[in-house]
Amino acid sequence: MIRDPETFEALLDSVRRFVRDRLVPAENQVAQTDEIPESIVQEMREMGLFGLTIPEAYGGLELTMEEESRLLFELCKTSPAFRSVIGTTVGIGSQGILMDGTDEQKAYYLPKLATGELSASFALTEPDAGSDAASLRTTAIRGTDSEGDHYIVNGTKRYITNAPHSKIFTLMARTNPADKGAGGVSAFIVDAKTPGISLGKNDQKMGQKGRAHL
Ligand SMILES: Cc1cc2nc3c(=O)[nH]c(=O)nc-3n(C[C@H](O)[C@H](O)[C@H](O)COP(=O)(O)OP(=O)(O)OC[C@H]3O[C@@H](n4cnc5c(N)ncnc54)[C@H](O)[C@@H]3O)c2cc1C
């Protein structure tokens, strides 16, 4: 349901103008440089596009599914790379925190995701775990040392959209090696600066110049 049609139509109009005046003219540059100019990403932040699905209580626009779909129809009238900029934060990167995060995690991360200060990726897929996601091999084993409780994560992910741009990853890893199915898997919020994370090469995908999938 559209809650406030007038406000929503104004938002749609501003996205239409943004696509026509800023994104379409930048398509060639993005295709040639494989980069989206930071000035465009900043405009997306200022329009609130990183917070489409995040509740208003956390600074987002809290669009309904219908509203989000209609807005994305407009945003996708240009290179799909531009939608990818916000795609992982709006969707798989933030929704796990919203659904299953603690109150502290929600209060800390969601406002920063909504403004685009932080952007998020979802790290599930592995070289040998795609459709059958529950077969993932990355492990997160709890250990203790002088620095306190922590998990040691080992594994390789692939096809992680926006990986080089994201500040946090929602990472899926096996915390119970005895359980080979989904029951042995837990989700972690991992800071992208965590020591030991290295990024692979960017996969070249048709129509996706300008956004990385590692
Ligand atoms: C553009 C892009 C962005 C992505 N972004 C992300 C991301 O941000 N984060 C992330 O974690 N992952 C991401 N992925 C990965 C995506 O989720 C996986 O590609 C998907 O889960 C499929 O896995 P796979 O590629 O290993 O294919 P496979 O699982 O190996 O499947 C290959 C083929 O086999 C078929 N198949 C598989 N299992 C069966 C079965 N049991 N019965 C019959 N047929 C079967 C499939 O339909 C498919 O045709 C992205 C992928 C793409 C292409």
Side-chain angles (χ1 to χ4, degrees):
M1 285 294 295
I2 303 294
R3 289 160 301 170
D4 174 2
E6 248 177 60
T7 309
F8 183 65
E9 282 305 326
L11 175 64
L12 280 187
D13 262 350
S14 66
V15 173
R16 279 185 202 112
R17 278 198 306 277
F18 182 56
V19 168
R20 187 190 62 213
D21 299 342
R22 295 286 291 132
L23 302 188
V24 171
E27 284 170 351
N28 280 346
Q29 183 191 343
V30 167
Q32 280 159 18
T33 61
D34 206 2
E35 284 288 338
I36 294 181
E38 175 57 24
S39 58
I40 286 183
V41 179
Q42 182 55 28
E43 284 176 68
M44 292 173 136
R45 292 189 188 103
E46 287 161 12
M47 290 171 75
L49 296 183
F50 282 86
L52 297 183
T53 52
I54 293 175
E56 284 177 1
Y58 295 108
L61 295 178
E62 198 175 342
L63 298 190
T64 62
M65 181 78 78
E66 180 189 350
E67 290 166 337
E68 184 193 354
S69 303
R70 289 184 57 196
L71 187 143
L72 291 178
F73 273 127
E74 298 302 330
L75 189 58
C76 290
K77 289 178 180 170
T78 179
S79 161
F82 294 116
R83 190 212 61 91
S84 283
V85 173
I86 61 162
T88 52
T89 302
V90 162
I92 50 184
S94 67
Q95 295 306 293
I97 298 174
L98 184 58
M99 286 185 252
D100 279 330
T102 63
D103 289 343
E104 288 81 3
Q105 287 167 341
K106 290 180 194 177
Y108 180 77
Y109 289 109
L110 293 178
K112 293 182 171 63
L113 291 168
T115 58
E117 177 190 338
L118 286 184
S119 56
S121 284
F122 186 75
L124 168 64
T125 303
E126 298 179 357
D128 295 309
S131 306
D132 184 12
S135 68
L136 62 79
R137 293 182 184 171
T138 294
T139 55
I141 304 301
R142 194 165 196 164
T144 51
D145 64 9
S146 54
E147 291 172 3
D149 282 355
H150 60 273
Y151 283 84
I152 297 172
V153 176
N154 273 303
T156 302
K157 298 289 177 180
R158 74 163 176 175
Y159 292 159
I160 309 307
T161 302
N162 284 330
H165 308 281
S166 288
K167 304 276 184 5
I168 57 169
F169 298 101
T170 301
L171 171 88
M172 313 302 283
R174 190 168 302 284
T175 41
N176 179 5
D179 184 341
K180 303 291 180 207
V185 175
S186 303
F188 295 83
I189 303 169
V190 177
D191 191 307
K193 291 200 184 114
T194 305
I197 298 178
S198 62
L199 301 181
K201 72 171 180 52
N202 185 11
D203 288 316
Q204 298 298 317
K205 293 196 180 62
M206 191 185 293
Q208 289 282 343
K209 279 266 183 218
R211 227 48 199 167
H213 305 272
L214 305 187

